[in-house]
Amino acid sequence: MADRKALVAGNWKMNGRRADGIALACAIAERAKEPHACDLLVCPPVTLLVPVGEALAGSGVALGGQDCHPAASGAFTGCISAEMLRDAGCSHAIVGHSERRHTCGESDADVRAKSLAAWRAGLVAIVCVGETRAEREAGIAIAVVSNQIAGSVPDGAGLDNLVIAYEPVWAIGTGLTPTIADITEMHAAIRSLVPSGTRILYGGSVNPKNAAEILALPEVDGALVGGASLKAEDFWAIAQACP
Ligand code: PEP
């Protein structure tokens, strides 16, 4: 993966009570004492940010939020701002995850506003993009993702504030993954649209069995991991698969 250090990020989604989250974070922190070639990040649900952050303290494993509101504060019931994430100890925020684009109707403009909010708070924005199954079958996957990048990534992106996660919608939580050729082609297309050296992660059913092949691709700079990030041994096996 060239000279970019890999990032393996766990998206816990809406999973975990206090005891589970703390136990998982402690197990990851323990494993992170062993040598590893990548940066590590976990993105727990909001209720677990503080206890997970405490469990990870000193481990080198970073903490991230799964979403943020464009505004810094205000009358937005149920939302969380990038400043609140920062206050809770986060260094990163995922924005534009397909589960928000497709189930909450978030547009590229929404994702762009959230990216700017993350930057305003001093967070790295992990901007998620990816095509649906129908879009891939129609041969427009690269066009769709290119449009998402153009609409979602604000001017001012650089290596210290942006990570892209390519996550085909049809690969998330399904056990399906694109071919190695398709991942390579898409990552190369994305790379032509973002600042040189930007980390581009692959996400969608990454697991301990397929991680080594995907993470070995020169265009892939790490993984955004959903289901497999909920088991410390699986998350760690994926991290260990980074070349
Ligand atoms: C995700 O939702 O970001 C994801 C990659 O999920 P999974 O690994 O479960 O497919």
Side-chain angles (χ1 to χ4, degrees), residues 7-8 21 25 31-33 52 107 112 116 139 148 156 175 188 193 197 200 216 230:
L7 170 65
V8 174
R31 284 170 172 82
K33 291 177 183 166
V52 165
S107 66
R112 185 178 182 282
L116 285 169
Q148 289 175 336
L193 301 172
I200 304 174
L230 296 173

Side-chain angles (χ1 to χ4, degrees), residues 11 13 97 99 167 171-174 203-206 224-228:
N11 175 10
K13 309 193 185 186
H97 191 281
E99 286 155 12
E167 301 204 299
I172 294 178
T174 59
S205 296
V206 176
L224 181 53
V225 185

